[in-house]
Amino acid sequence: MFKLKGYQQRAVDVMQSFLSHCLHLESLADAYTAALKEQQLPNHAYRDYGFNNVPYFCLRLPTGGGKTVLGSYAIETAARHYLQTETPITLWLVPSITIRQQTVEALKTPGHPYRQNLDKAFNRQVLVLDIDEVTQIRPQDIGSKAIVIVSTLANLRVNDTSGRKVYAYHENFEPHFAKIPSNHPSLTLLERVTENDLQENGLTANELGKIKFSFANLLAVYRPIVIVDEAHNARTTLTFDTLHRVHPAAVIELTATPNTSATNGSNVLFHVSAAELKAEEMIKLPIMLTEHINWQDALQDAVITRNKLALDAQKDTDYIRPIVLFQAENKNGEVTVEVLENHLIEQLKIDKNKIAIVTGNQRELDGINLLDQSCPIEYIITIEALKEGWDCPFAYVFCSVKQVSSNKDAEQLLGRVLRMPYAKRRVIEDLNRAYAHLATRGFSKAAQELTDTLVAMGFEEIEIAAYLRDQTPNPHQNDLFGENLPEQPQKISENTLIVTAEDLPDLSKLSEPEKNQITMTRDTVNKNAVIRVVGEVSPAIQEAISKTVKSAKNRTIFKRNVRIHNQSIQARKAPSERGEVFGVLPQICMMQQGQLELVEAETLLQACNWNLLDYPAELKNFSLHETTNNFAIDIEGKKVKYHVAEHKDILPFNQGFIDITEQDLIRWLDKELRQTDIVQQQMASFIGRLVKNLLQQYDMTLTALVRNKYPLAQAIRDTIRSYRTKAKTASYQQTLFTSSNTACLADESFYSFNPSDYPSRPPYYSGSFVFSKHYFPQNLIEDLKSTGEEFECAKAIESLPQIKHWIRNLVRRDQASFWLPLAQGKFYPDFVCELVDGRMLVVEYKGVVYASNDDSAEKRAVGYKWAELSKGQCLFIMAVEKDEQGRDVRQQILEAIR
């Protein structure tokens, strides 16, 4: 069974939380704010674009992040946690016919990861249709199956709906509309038969003004979940109008590059960084870029790179056959497909059977499985035909002989070489990287062009600085056939920024060291000035060169390139980049049945013999008010309300519930509430008792409970959660803080930071203060403002000579975060430090407002317990701006480490 990666599961969890908030909070804006706060993200205004109470949000994942599989999980999440139905209708919108065909095929194929979760979530009652097949939907399918219709957005996005099949009258839909009651709330919103419809469909004048039996109207009645793939292309007024026509229940956008403008920007709910994809072993990074002054050298070095990787791949435990993707020019260019293929065969002596051409006319990959060990293909030549949906993780090298700036084809082709084989990190480091060989006719424009492409793929500027590495061309001319390959990787080229401008800059105001960084020449072809700056670009150098860049657009690009260039230089200075190793941190363990176990939620429950049947099978003060579509219970003295989704109002009151028995409801709840720490027998028994107790209440009927089964399930889930909380809290105290506790630190259980994995995400640190001791590149430091108390704490840590390296610890980043156990989760301290003397220091900073609350007290207690168990090897401090002795943060840390 396919299993989500950590960041994908977090995306699902965030969706679930947000959609649950949408039901329980006063407004969607409140739900959005709550969901961002739970992720410790800065708040942004929620914009509804006229959809009022319809959740409209965006999941942002870079190319290679698995957007489509998340789309299939989004259907289940929206259906279960917002619409409260087992039979949702989903309209899945994609940008092109090719992707539409591929998505339909994947969703229809049993066992495919996209289909697996749908079958599991909806008990295999799933119907997937292409937009051309919608007339196959039968009235009995609606309400008994989860239906997914895949279409291009273009099929629906029109100003005039006449002549479009989606909006056209079709007699096959008549039985669907015959079932709809006359008081249905959506009837007034549906399109009616017009004079144009009479002419197009041969209808009589008697039909004029009646409801049009169209697919678009059918969607409007049943309010679909709408998934919009590549949603950055779907932010126009026409698109909003199109979505309004189908009256969606929820709109979920998937994109690498969401629109973030003030006028029509997306409500980004969840954002994955490229570093997170790298840490989850989904993509190859860094990208090793080599620029060539002619296309022949680019081709030769691409072949040499592939041959070197092929030798490395022979030492890997899995079968890997590295592949080069060549991007040729169009037929009116110099290096056409034919020219490129001829050069590979005649000059570089590549066997013809190792080359495949994929263009509009030649489809030499059709029917070929590139992952098959008997497949000979090592080189693929294309112009743009691979760009949509094609995927092969064996693709390692991208070689383009055409300008790639603002080139969608290059963007998609580069995305193909980023996929990691088998989604698993390779033992040989060179096989964890992607390679780009670019031929450019200008002076060193390749890095700028590739930067444009990476931005379009969803990379942040800071990520580009960290993960785009320049290389010098390969000097080993005998390496073509895999001979005499160097033992060491290619030398990384000097950090040189190259700018093409109309005039030479005035350097008179620069210092002598700054002048020595710069060399200037004239391009003999177009007479432009070519300015090379070695090393970091100072503000003075930037200002001098900027005056020679005439257009506003080019000045903007120049400033961006300077930022990335300087950030790249800073990134190379980080200790992790220099190969230094960060100290290890022991983790708190406990004795469990004679064995050492890490203290976390599962072991705490095992330690206390957690049994749901030890708790009352009841919902305290349960009340159900169907007239207002909500009911409430008390949990730990707090009244919690549960709302029925609005779309339930359109259903006949007792539809489908006549034959349902009490045991049917119990079985459904048991399946819905299944949890890994509760055995099925316990859960079924608990639910059975609880349902019986409810039915003994005055005026409580089985019909009412069945009709409200989803909010009922959520109420039971919350009640079980409160019982679990009690059990874990008691076990936590017993395990760590009583005289009979078994807590300890063991040599075999420790945490270590991986030098190549720091999956931080925006907002990144952007201040001018240099944190040279931060173990990872300082421009990847997450969520550290350039002012404020936490910033001052970081500066204090940086300033201490006793501290060798330090790390801004990440929160909930799976294997890339250090944590200590809490009764109800994990504590991720703000800073982790390695001292010069080898000891480890953990620093948690608290503002005055939070320093004395219960949360801080629990974190302080476990931090000091961890330090105590280490017998002096580990230190912990909860720092404040000024402590009771009047000491500032620096003095508090000094006292802790003395």
Side-chain angles (χ1 to χ4, degrees):
M1 181 71 182
F2 175 81
K3 184 178 179 181
L4 292 177
K5 292 286 188 176
Y7 69 88
Q8 293 171 327
Q9 186 59 57
R10 287 196 299 275
V12 172
D13 293 342
V14 169
M15 276 193 289
Q16 177 179 327
S17 177
F18 169 67
L19 291 170
S20 296
H21 288 323
C22 289
L23 285 180
H24 302 141
L25 297 181
E26 294 297 322
S27 69
L28 297 184
D30 290 343
Y32 186 61
T33 297
L36 293 180
K37 185 177 181 181
E38 288 168 353
Q39 300 175 74
Q40 300 185 1
L41 295 176
N43 190 28
H44 297 286
Y46 179 84
R47 291 166 285 191
D48 66 17
Y49 297 106
F51 286 87
N52 299 323
N53 293 321
V54 174
Y56 195 152
F57 62 93
C58 174
L59 303 179
R60 178 180 180 182
L61 295 92
T63 298
K67 293 189 292 292
T68 310
V69 76
L70 269 182
S72 67
Y73 277 79
I75 295 173
E76 177 198 4
T77 305
R80 193 174 301 278
H81 297 283
Y82 182 66
L83 300 182
Q84 302 171 346
T85 180
E86 296 166 277
T87 56
I89 296 178
T90 301
L91 179 63
W92 191 311
L93 301 175
V94 297
S96 71
I97 293 174
T98 303
I99 293 181
R100 175 183 126 195
Q101 294 168 340
Q102 292 164 344
T103 304
V104 169
E105 181 182 1
L107 290 173
K108 284 187 174 184
T109 303
H112 193 285
Y114 301 172
R115 179 61 183 253
Q116 278 184 11
N117 188 64
L118 293 177
D119 280 338
K120 180 183 176 184
F122 302 111
N123 198 28
R124 300 190 179 277
Q125 298 302 304
V126 179
L127 176 63
V128 176
L129 298 170
D130 183 86
I131 189 66
D132 291 338
E133 301 171 321
V134 293
T135 56
Q136 298 177 18
I137 301 175
R138 304 169 302 170
Q140 59 265 39
D141 292 329
I142 296 177
S144 64
K145 295 181 179 180
I147 301 173
V148 182
I149 303 103
V150 183
S151 171
T152 60
L153 182 57
N155 271 331
L156 285 84
R157 188 166 54 187
V158 289
N159 283 311
D160 181 5
T161 62
S162 60
R164 289 297 180 103
K165 290 183 180 180
V166 171
Y167 300 101
Y169 180 99
H170 202 294
E171 60 185 10
N172 284 32
F173 293 124
E174 182 175 0
H176 293 278
F177 291 91
K179 291 175 56 180
I180 299 172
S182 59
N183 61 346
H184 193 289
S186 295
L187 290 184
T188 58
L189 307 174
L190 304 184
E191 282 193 335
R192 305 281 167 160
V193 175
T194 65
E195 292 284 354
N196 288 336
D197 296 312
L198 298 184
Q199 297 171 11
E200 288 179 18
N201 299 281
L203 301 176
T204 67
N206 291 334
E207 303 299 323
L208 197 63
K210 293 182 180 180
I211 293 172
K212 185 193 294 188
F213 301 153
S214 69
F215 177 63
N217 271 350
L218 191 65
L219 288 175
V221 169
Y222 290 103
R223 300 192 58 199
I225 301 165
V226 175
I227 293 177
V228 186
D229 193 12
E230 301 296 344
H232 54 282
N233 297 320
R235 305 299 302 170
T236 63
T237 301
L238 180 56
T239 300
F240 295 143
D241 291 343
T242 299
L243 295 178
H244 275 292
R245 286 194 193 110
V246 300
H247 301 284
V251 182
I252 304 170
E253 298 181 326
L254 305 171
T255 181
T257 53
N259 185 316
T260 56
S261 68
T263 54
N264 59 350
S266 293
N267 297 311
V268 178
L269 180 68
F270 185 80
H271 178 194
V272 177
S273 66
E276 288 179 272
L277 297 190
K278 178 176 182 285
E280 292 278 9
E281 304 179 354
M282 289 289 284
I283 60 175
K284 312 179 191 98
L285 285 177
I287 301 168
M288 313 305 290
L289 167 65
T290 308
E291 179 192 4
H292 303 271
I293 59 174
N294 62 67
W295 63 267
Q296 294 91 341
D297 287 349
L299 266 59
Q300 175 171 290
D301 269 19
V303 172
I304 290 172
T305 300
R306 199 218 73 84
N307 290 341
K308 169 67 168 61
L309 292 172
L311 291 178
D312 290 338
Q314 293 176 14
K315 305 168 190 173
D316 200 275
T317 55
D318 294 311
Y319 173 72
I320 298 174
R321 185 179 70 262
I323 292 174
V324 182
L325 299 185
F326 289 109
Q327 184 184 27
E329 293 184 305
N330 294 318
K331 61 182 180 180
N332 56 349
E334 176 190 357
V335 191
T336 62
V337 169
E338 293 75 18
V339 170
L340 201 157
E341 181 189 28
N342 184 66
H343 188 84
L344 291 177
I345 295 172
E346 299 297 329
Q347 302 299 318
L348 302 182
K349 308 303 179 184
I350 305 296
D351 290 341
K352 176 71 172 74
N353 70 337
K354 294 183 178 181
I355 302 171
I357 297 174
V358 185
T359 65
N361 299 321
Q362 293 175 270
R363 314 291 300 182
E364 295 180 1
L365 286 183
D366 288 355
I368 292 179
N369 179 10
L370 288 172
L371 302 183
D372 192 321
Q373 295 191 28
S374 64
C375 176
I377 302 300
E378 296 174 355
Y379 304 93
I380 298 171
I381 304 173
T382 186
I383 300 171
E384 56 82 31
L386 294 178
K387 68 178 183 179
E388 293 179 338
W390 183 88
D391 192 19
C392 177
F394 288 176
Y396 263 88
V397 185
F398 170 54
C399 179
S400 179
V401 297
K402 63 190 291 187
Q403 303 297 100
V404 300
S405 180
S406 300
N407 186 331
K408 275 287 182 184
D409 303 333
E411 174 188 330
Q412 298 293 344
L413 286 169
L414 182 60
R416 303 291 80 82
V417 303
L418 292 185
R419 266 65 167 186
M420 180 70 81
Y422 310 103
K424 186 173 70 175
R425 186 174 180 82
R426 318 319 307 172
V427 175
I428 298 174
E429 188 57 38
D430 282 355
L431 293 174
N432 294 317
R433 297 172 172 178
Y435 299 83
H437 291 271
L438 305 183
T440 178
R441 295 181 180 85
F443 282 82
S444 200
K445 288 186 177 180
Q448 176 181 322
E449 293 166 348
L450 198 54
T451 294
D452 295 337
T453 299
L454 290 169
V455 167
M457 292 169 63
F459 281 64
E460 301 282 344
E461 285 184 10
I462 288 172
E463 293 170 340
I464 296 170
Y467 296 126
L468 181 59
R469 308 284 177 83
D470 292 339
Q471 287 192 139
T472 53
N474 199 319
H476 300 273
Q477 298 302 316
N478 295 327
D479 294 346
L480 193 56
F481 305 104
E483 302 171 353
N484 303 320
L485 290 170
E487 291 296 323
Q488 298 299 320
Q490 261 181 276
K491 179 184 175 183
I492 305 297
S493 64
E494 271 192 292
N495 288 293
T496 303
L497 177 71
I498 302 181
V499 183
T500 302
E502 295 180 18
D503 300 313
L504 296 172
D506 178 5
L507 307 183
S508 61
K509 295 183 179 179
L510 302 184
S511 65
E512 285 304 314
E514 288 172 328
K515 291 177 182 177
N516 292 335
Q517 290 180 250
I518 301 172
T519 57
M520 299 181 291
T521 57
R522 283 278 184 187
D523 185 337
T524 56
V525 177
N526 55 32
K527 307 304 180 182
N528 283 337
V530 180
I531 307 151
R532 292 177 172 83
V533 185
V534 177
E536 195 161 347
V537 178
S538 68
I541 294 175
Q542 179 174 338
E543 182 180 357
I545 297 176
S546 182
K547 292 177 180 178
T548 68
V549 181
K550 300 302 183 183
S551 76
K553 178 182 178 181
N554 287 341
R555 278 196 299 274
T556 299
I557 293 173
F558 167 68
K559 290 177 182 178
R560 182 202 68 185
N561 291 344
V562 168
R563 288 195 302 270
I564 293 175
H565 172 79
N566 285 344
Q567 289 164 354
S568 177
I569 291 174
Q570 287 297 325
R572 308 286 170 81
K573 296 177 181 178
S576 62
E577 295 291 306
R578 300 197 303 264
E580 298 190 33
V581 178
F582 196 83
V584 300
L585 298 116
Q587 295 177 294
I588 301 180
C589 296
M590 62 185 288
M591 291 302 298
Q592 176 73 12
Q593 298 180 349
Q595 292 187 327
L596 278 175
E597 299 281 355
L598 201 61
V599 177
E600 51 187 340
E602 184 178 344
T603 50
L604 288 173
L605 288 174
Q606 291 172 353
C608 70
N609 297 315
W610 156 247
N611 188 330
L612 183 58
L613 297 179
D614 292 338
Y615 297 85
E618 61 183 22
L619 301 179
K620 294 182 179 179
N621 298 320
F622 179 85
S623 59
L624 177 62
H625 307 286
E626 289 197 277
T627 55
T628 56
N629 291 314
N630 69 75
F631 62 82
I633 65 170
D634 282 351
I635 297 180
E636 301 299 309
K638 179 182 178 182
K639 188 168 288 296
V640 181
K641 292 184 178 180
Y642 298 87
H643 300 270
V644 181
E646 288 182 11
H647 81 293
K648 296 285 186 183
D649 296 342
I650 69 175
L651 298 175
F653 186 74
N654 287 320
Q655 180 181 6
F657 300 153
I658 297 173
D659 297 329
I660 293 180
T661 66
E662 183 179 329
Q663 283 305 311
D664 291 333
L665 175 60
I666 292 170
R667 278 192 292 270
W668 183 88
L669 288 169
D670 176 46
K671 180 176 179 292
E672 181 72 12
L673 294 169
R674 202 150 293 176
Q675 297 174 35
T676 56
D677 59 4
I678 302 173
V679 297
Q680 194 266 339
Q681 184 179 3
Q682 278 184 31
M683 180 67 81
S685 180
F686 180 84
I687 293 170
R689 296 179 193 179
L690 187 145
V691 170
K692 283 189 181 299
N693 289 335
L694 286 176
L695 291 175
Q696 289 172 4
Q697 294 184 22
Y698 176 71
D699 276 353
M700 186 62 63
T701 66
L702 180 61
T703 296
L705 291 181
V706 172
R707 183 171 183 268
N708 295 281
K709 61 182 182 179
Y710 276 101
L712 173 62
Q714 185 60 47
I716 298 173
R717 187 179 290 112
D718 288 344
T719 298
I720 293 172
R721 185 182 297 117
S722 74
Y723 291 158
R724 184 185 290 107
T725 296
K726 285 182 180 179
K728 285 197 294 186
T729 299
S731 181
Y732 181 75
Q733 292 297 322
Q734 175 70 29
T735 300
L736 266 67
F737 299 109
T738 63
S739 57
S740 59
N741 80 79
T742 61
C744 64
L745 303 184
D747 291 340
E748 57 266 39
S749 183
F750 58 86
Y751 177 79
S752 59
F753 286 95
N754 185 332
S756 63
D757 288 333
Y758 187 62
S760 57
R761 61 188 179 207
Y764 297 115
Y765 172 68
S766 59
S768 58
F769 185 88
V770 177
F771 291 109
S772 60
K773 291 184 181 179
H774 193 266
Y775 181 66
F776 295 103
Q778 75 156 26
N779 45 13
L780 291 178
I781 297 175
E782 177 181 311
D783 193 28
L784 183 66
K785 300 179 177 65
S786 55
T787 59
E789 295 179 12
E790 275 200 350
F791 173 68
E792 294 301 326
C793 181
K795 284 174 62 178
I797 292 171
E798 176 76 21
S799 71
L800 292 171
Q802 295 92 333
I803 290 179
K804 180 181 178 182
H805 302 135
W806 63 277
I807 292 172
R808 170 66 155 170
N809 195 30
L810 302 176
V811 177
R812 289 189 290 274
R813 226 53 58 85
D814 298 328
Q815 303 304 313
S817 304
F818 172 69
W819 56 269
L820 294 171
L822 296 174
Q824 305 305 324
K826 295 176 179 178
F827 163 36
Y828 301 88
D830 293 322
F831 306 103
V832 179
C833 314
E834 179 183 8
L835 303 187
V836 173
D837 62 17
R839 292 179 297 166
M840 305 302 293
L841 167 68
V842 166
V843 180
E844 171 73 358
Y845 184 84
K846 288 294 180 185
V848 176
V849 177
Y850 306 104
S852 59
N853 63 18
D854 292 343
D855 175 70
S856 296
E858 185 181 9
K859 291 176 177 178
R860 187 183 294 109
V862 73
Y864 286 139
K865 183 69 177 180
W866 173 73
E868 174 193 320
L869 293 171
S870 75
K871 299 178 181 177
Q873 289 305 301
C874 300
L875 309 170
F876 175 83
I877 180 174
M878 184 169 283
V880 293
E881 186 177 18
K882 290 283 184 184
D883 67 7
E884 294 177 351
Q885 286 78 40
R887 296 176 297 194
D888 61 20
V889 174
R890 191 175 192 276
Q891 292 168 327
Q892 293 169 51
I893 297 175
L894 279 172
E895 177 63 23
I897 65 179
R898 66 182 176 84

